[in-house]
C-alpha cells in the first residue's frame, strides 16, 4: 500500500488487506471478532498504519524521541478503550534503532495488558520520510498477543521507498 505523502509503501502480509489514505496507508488483518469489552463493536486481530508524526501530534526531533513519545498514545488507541476494558499495565518488549526504507529509524514495542480479552502487542516505528527528510513518519502497529509477533518485523522489513503512485506533483 502506497503512502504517497511519506514516500513509502507498506507490504500487505498474507491474510491482511490494505487501504490508501490521504496522508498515510493502512494494512489490517482479515480476521475480526466481537470486542470482549464492547460486543457491539468489531475488533481485528491486527493492523498497522503510517502517518506523518505532525498529523498525529507526536513531538520529537529524532526518530528515537518520536517513537518513545508515540508508544503510549498508540497503546491507548489500539487497546485502551472500552473494546478491551482498558490497559492495566505494559511490558517493554523492544526499544531499538532500525533501518527502514534506507532511513535511520527507531522502534518501541510494548505488550499491553488488557482488562478483557487478549493482550495486545503495540509498536511505534519512527523514521525520516524518504520523500522529505525533515518530516518524521510514524507507523503504528497493534496485533493481538495470540498472533505471530513476527508479522510486525515482516511489515517493518517490507516498508520500501515508494516508486510511482503519488499525486503527479513531482517533476
Amino acid at each position: 500500500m502506497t503512502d504517497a505523502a511519506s514516500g513509502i509503501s507498506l507490504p500487505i502480509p498474507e491474510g491482511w488487506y490494505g487501504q490508501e489514505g490521504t496522508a498515510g496507508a493502512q494494512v489490517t488483518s482479515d480476521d475480526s471478532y466481537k470486542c470482549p469489552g464492547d460486543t457491539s463493536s468489531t475488533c481485528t486481530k491486527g493492523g498497522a498504519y503510517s502517518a506523518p508524526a505532525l498529523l498525529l501530534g507526536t513531538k520529537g526531533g529524532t526518530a528515537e524521541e518520536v517513537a518513545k513519545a508515540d508508544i503510549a498514545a498508540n497503546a491507548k488507541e489500539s487497546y485502551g478503550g472500552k473494546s478491551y476494558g482498558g490497559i492495566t499495565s505494559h511490558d517493554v518488549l523492544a526499544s531499538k534503532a532500525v533501518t527502514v526504507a534506507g532511513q535511520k529509524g527507531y522502534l518501541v514495542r510494548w505488550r499491553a495488558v488488557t482488562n478483557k480479552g487478549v493482550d495486545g502487542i503495540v509498536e511505534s516505528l519512527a523514521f525520516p520520510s524518504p520523500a522529505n527528510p525533515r518530516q518524521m513518519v510514524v507507523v503504528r502497529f497493534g496485533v493481538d498477543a495470540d498472533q505471530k509477533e513476527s508479522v510486525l518485523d515482516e511489515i517493518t522489513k517490507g516498508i520500501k521507498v515508494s516508486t510511482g503512485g503519488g499525486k503527479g506533483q513531482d517533476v
Side-chain angles (χ1 to χ4, degrees):
M1 288 313 316
T2 301
D3 173 350
S6 300
I8 60 167
S9 63
L10 301 178
I12 303 172
E14 192 173 322
W16 290 46
Y17 64 94
Q19 294 176 294
E20 259 180 70
T22 51
Q26 177 176 329
V27 292
T28 309
S29 170
D30 290 339
D31 294 333
S32 61
Y33 56 94
K34 290 190 178 303
C35 299
D38 177 12
T39 55
S40 67
S41 296
T42 302
C43 288
T44 61
K45 289 283 187 180
Y49 72 91
S50 61
L54 197 61
L55 190 69
L56 296 172
T58 306
K59 305 234 183 303
T62 67
E64 183 175 354
E65 289 169 355
V66 171
K68 287 179 175 179
D70 188 70
I71 190 68
N74 179 8
K76 185 175 181 183
E77 177 184 273
S78 299
Y79 290 93
K82 62 182 180 176
S83 297
Y84 296 92
I87 296 172
T88 58
S89 65
H90 73 271
D91 298 315
V92 177
L93 301 177
S95 184
K96 63 183 181 180
V98 290
T99 300
V100 183
Q103 305 296 311
K104 292 185 185 305
Y106 201 88
L107 71 78
V108 179
R109 187 179 296 174
W110 284 2
R111 180 183 187 103
V113 180
T114 63
N115 259 327
K116 294 185 176 170
V118 70
D119 292 343
I121 307 293
V122 293
E123 178 177 302
S124 289
L125 170 66
F127 56 95
S129 164
N132 177 0
R134 292 186 309 276
Q135 174 185 303
M136 273 299 167
V137 179
V138 174
V139 182
R140 284 184 175 176
F141 299 80
V143 298
D144 289 357
D146 62 2
Q147 300 299 291
K148 289 189 175 107
E149 193 177 326
S150 60
V151 74
L152 303 177
D153 298 322
E154 179 187 334
I155 294 170
T156 299
K157 287 184 179 94
I159 296 171
K160 304 284 183 227
V161 175
S162 176
T163 54
K167 310 259 188 295
Q169 295 170 339
D170 294 334
V171 179

